[in-house]
Amino acid sequence: MGQELDTEPKARRLGNLGMVWHYAAHYPGHIACAGTALVIASSATIAIPYGFKRVIDRGFSSGGDQATVSHAFAYLLMIVGVLAVATALRFYFVSWLGERVVADIRRAVHANLVTLAPRFFEENRPSEIASRMTSDTAVIEQIVGTTVSVALRNTFTGIGGIVYLFVLAPKLAGSLMLGIPLIVIPIVVMGRRVRNFSRASQDRIADVGAIVAETLGAMKIVQAFGQEEREKTRFGGAVEATFSVAKRRIFVRAIMTAIVIALIFGSITLVLKEGVADVAAGRLSGGSIAAFVLTGGLVAGAFGSLTEVYGDLLRGAGAAGRLAELLQERPEIIAPVHPVPLPVPPQGRLTFDHVIFHYPTRPDTSALHDFSLDIAPGETVAVVGPSGAGKSTLLQLAQRFYDPQSGAVKLDGVDLREADPAAVRARLAMVPQETVIFASSARDNLRYGRWDASDDELWTAARAANAESFLRALPQGLDTFMGEGGARLSGGQKQRLAIARAILRDAPILLLDEATSALDAESERLVQDALERLMENRTTIVIAHRLATVRAADRIIVMDEGKIVEAGTHDTLTAAGGLYARLARLQFEGLAA
């Protein structure tokens, strides 16, 4: 996703900011207010030299009187007052737009991300995506809330100042304008390199954010294996890479700014020499030459600032382009235009019909090969086999996180590709091996199963999942914050919370993926007891390595290399002497030993 240097056509560089404008255009009233304040402030800025001209010409001329001088100063103070108010209003409306646009972009990017299939997150690091949504949107906030306003203000000031220069002294202004091409050339040429370095800098910042998120999320592992120094070195390398790119960007911008300012003020100095001769000859007044110098300084400052603004705009274009990539990603799993409705009431039948499936990230390896399995309503089917046999793939396809390359997965007789994915997933409840606990309250974690559940329903589900006792013992009960990843809970407590969540889901089909793995004996007993209650009157698929948990299943499916190699009950499979019997012998003999 991140390229070191960008080779986009020139027309597309600043064109990436069109995405930002799309969101800003939703607030025409604020744009109009900001634009009006900006024009007034720029006009007042240009009017200040004219005010000084009046003060000088009327205050120092031989015919000047006190009343005339007072009027001139009153005019100048009025301009200053208008400038102050207009600048404050411009700052408010532009800053409001910056914050609002960034909020809208973040919401839009997140709304799109949650619709994408797991494949996208296998190929792109979530931590880097999170960095994009923070660092890149911060750049855009600066662009909308500051840079664009500064660019427009300096553009108006520069153009208005040039017009006023021609009004004051056409000959001197014409001479000054001859140097403009020399000023524009370095902006265009060096601005291209600034843009490339800006994009590379944002990529390196994303790398830093990704490493921080990854390391902090695995801090126990880092410390347990004594890898603190290695992580310091890895993070330090990413930081130094970020600094190296930023240093090159800053150097180019500094050179560009120095060249432009030297050319602008050098031109003014040379023209001023000619202006002094005109004042001596009486062709210009002292106030006019003072106003010309002051206006020339404003024009020089405006164009000098534009060199920096141009670099910021290019940096913002790079950030906008990176966010646009996330917005333009389209989900692979979508509902058809006219989805086939699932039968009502639900039956709970799940069928795999000659399924062939390859994971997108592993196209050369078949996860399932001509796989067929029909699971009847209310049946409990346990799926066992060695690692990599394709067991968890069944659950991925059942939830339609992927579509098979051949064959079909059917729910109550309806091909999942013809149904609405949301309707399919509403009929499934999942208890994963690695329980996901959100950094929120226990109540919100439970309500993930059904968000409108009442507290009484939450406690009923917790009781059925053997989770009530530890939940009531929490400092604030259901309002207790669970910590990052459920850090305040043990492994068994997390599993029971996940079971309670599945109970609240009350779906006709239950998917259990190693739900009792890595638990101590007491926790396993509590979890297994809760699972038995959860499995009542539901179609259940149990994925398990530990065969002791699947003996009571109605049917055991033994998989190897993406195919069914055996099927039956525990007793029949053990007597058959095949793969299941070998796995059972290894486990149970190991337990006996």
Side-chain angles (χ1 to χ4, degrees):
M1 282 193 317
Q3 296 294 325
E4 180 74 19
L5 294 179
D6 198 351
T7 56
E8 284 183 282
K10 182 179 178 181
R12 291 183 56 192
R13 291 178 191 142
L14 291 178
N16 287 333
L17 293 174
M19 182 268 287
V20 180
W21 170 251
H22 168 75
Y23 287 95
H26 294 163
Y27 308 98
H30 286 77
I31 292 176
C33 291
T36 301
L38 189 148
V39 171
I40 293 174
S42 295
S43 300
T45 301
I46 298 301
I48 286 177
Y50 175 68
F52 274 102
K53 177 180 180 298
R54 291 183 56 177
V55 168
I56 293 172
D57 285 344
R58 299 185 182 187
F60 295 100
S61 63
S62 57
D65 56 46
Q66 190 62 39
T68 302
V69 173
S70 296
H71 282 117
F73 273 107
Y75 170 81
L76 187 57
L77 288 174
M78 179 190 70
I79 293 174
V80 172
V82 170
L83 176 61
V85 173
T87 301
L89 290 174
R90 175 188 60 80
F91 173 80
Y92 172 80
F93 285 110
V94 169
S95 298
W96 186 96
L97 274 171
E99 296 286 352
R100 183 67 262 172
V101 167
V102 164
D104 290 349
I105 290 176
R106 282 176 175 156
R107 292 180 62 179
V109 171
H110 183 268
N112 192 54
L113 287 174
V114 297
T115 67
L116 301 181
R119 172 182 177 176
F120 178 79
F121 301 100
E122 292 173 3
E123 298 174 347
N124 301 278
R125 291 186 299 175
S127 52
E128 182 185 352
I129 296 171
S131 178
R132 286 191 183 198
M133 293 185 65
T134 52
S135 61
D136 285 353
T137 51
V139 172
I140 290 177
E141 180 181 348
Q142 177 188 354
I143 296 302
V144 179
T146 303
T147 306
V148 171
S149 172
V150 171
L152 292 175
R153 183 192 68 199
N154 285 303
T155 300
F156 287 141
T157 301
I159 294 173
I162 290 172
V163 171
Y164 186 49
L165 288 176
F166 276 99
V167 171
L168 285 171
K171 184 183 71 170
L172 297 181
S175 300
L176 188 61
M177 291 305 103
L178 292 176
I180 286 184
L182 296 177
I183 300 169
V184 173
I185 290 173
I187 294 178
V188 174
V189 174
M190 303 185 75
R192 182 180 306 162
R193 291 185 58 82
V194 170
R195 202 271 186 190
N196 290 341
F197 286 131
S198 296
R199 172 79 185 223
S201 180
Q202 287 302 110
D203 287 339
R204 298 293 76 76
I205 291 172
D207 290 341
V208 169
I211 291 174
V212 169
E214 184 177 52
T215 304
L216 296 183
M219 187 54 66
K220 291 181 180 178
I221 297 296
V222 171
Q223 294 178 350
F225 285 90
Q227 294 297 323
E228 294 92 339
E229 291 303 320
R230 185 255 180 188
E231 291 301 332
K232 290 178 184 177
T233 302
R234 186 163 73 109
F235 180 75
V239 170
E240 289 304 316
T242 303
F243 174 70
S244 177
V245 175
K247 185 169 62 175
R248 285 180 283 171
R249 171 176 56 84
I250 293 169
F251 177 76
V252 173
R253 283 189 60 173
I255 294 298
M256 181 172 66
T257 301
I259 291 174
V260 171
I261 290 179
L263 290 172
I264 290 175
F265 282 99
S267 300
I268 291 175
T269 302
L270 293 175
V271 170
L272 183 59
K273 180 181 179 182
E274 186 177 351
V276 171
D278 288 341
V279 172
R283 292 188 293 270
L284 279 178
S285 67
S288 294
I289 194 63
F292 188 92
V293 172
L294 183 55
T295 305
L298 291 174
V299 172
F303 280 101
S305 179
L306 282 176
T307 63
E308 297 184 19
V309 167
Y310 183 61
D312 286 338
L313 287 175
L314 291 173
R315 184 165 171 247
R322 287 158 52 91
L323 289 170
E325 291 174 5
L326 298 179
L327 282 171
Q328 291 164 4
E329 286 289 339
R330 291 294 172 257
E332 299 175 4
I333 305 299
I334 59 174
V337 178
H338 301 292
V340 175
L342 297 175
V344 178
Q347 301 168 13
R349 178 177 292 277
L350 188 61
T351 304
F352 296 85
D353 186 11
H354 297 284
V355 170
I356 296 176
F357 175 70
H358 304 257
Y359 280 101
T361 53
R362 304 191 297 274
D364 297 331
T365 304
S366 179
L368 294 178
H369 181 69
D370 196 23
F371 183 91
S372 294
L373 176 65
D374 183 47
I375 303 173
E379 184 181 15
T380 296
V381 173
V383 183
V384 301
S387 296
K391 304 184 299 297
S392 295
T393 301
L394 299 180
L395 306 190
Q396 302 272 1
L397 293 176
Q399 296 171 92
R400 209 192 165 198
F401 291 148
Y402 303 93
D403 284 332
Q405 282 77 31
S406 179
V409 182
K410 299 178 181 179
L411 176 60
D412 292 344
V414 178
D415 190 327
L416 298 191
R417 286 170 294 201
E418 299 176 357
D420 186 341
V424 170
R425 293 163 189 165
R427 297 196 174 188
L428 305 172
M430 176 73 174
V431 181
Q433 176 181 2
E434 297 181 2
T435 304
V436 175
I437 302 297
F438 295 93
S440 184
S441 67
R443 174 181 283 102
D444 285 350
N445 273 282
L446 285 170
R447 288 169 62 199
Y448 227 76
R450 182 161 54 86
W451 201 255
D452 60 352
S454 66
D455 276 9
D456 287 341
E457 291 172 316
L458 296 181
W459 284 118
T460 300
R463 191 174 305 116
N466 286 333
E468 181 182 18
S469 58
F470 78 79
L471 287 175
R472 290 196 182 277
L474 293 173
Q476 287 84 40
L478 293 180
D479 293 319
T480 303
F481 179 68
M482 294 289 93
E484 189 74 26
R488 305 185 68 171
L489 302 177
S490 68
Q493 290 172 335
K494 292 179 185 178
Q495 286 286 25
R496 281 178 277 162
L497 194 62
I499 293 169
R501 185 188 293 166
I503 290 173
L504 281 170
R505 184 75 163 173
D506 195 23
I509 296 180
L510 177 63
L511 308 177
L512 304 177
D513 187 4
E514 303 283 2
T516 60
S517 65
L519 298 181
D520 60 79
E522 182 178 0
S523 295
E524 181 177 359
R525 182 185 59 79
L526 291 171
V527 169
Q528 191 63 43
D529 182 53
L531 286 174
E532 289 174 3
R533 284 194 288 270
L534 176 59
M535 292 162 60
E536 291 178 359
N537 303 317
R538 287 183 173 86
T539 304
T540 306
I541 302 179
V542 182
I543 306 296
H545 281 297
R546 299 171 67 169
L547 305 186
T549 64
V550 302
R551 288 182 173 184
D554 298 320
R555 189 164 33 135
I556 298 174
I557 302 297
V558 185
M559 293 185 64
D560 192 20
E561 296 182 351
K563 296 178 290 186
I564 296 176
V565 294
E566 292 181 296
T569 64
H570 171 74
D571 292 336
T572 59
L573 291 174
T574 301
L579 176 59
Y580 181 85
R582 182 168 62 84
L583 294 174
R585 186 169 59 254
L586 289 172
Q587 287 197 21
F588 297 138
E589 287 180 359
L591 290 174

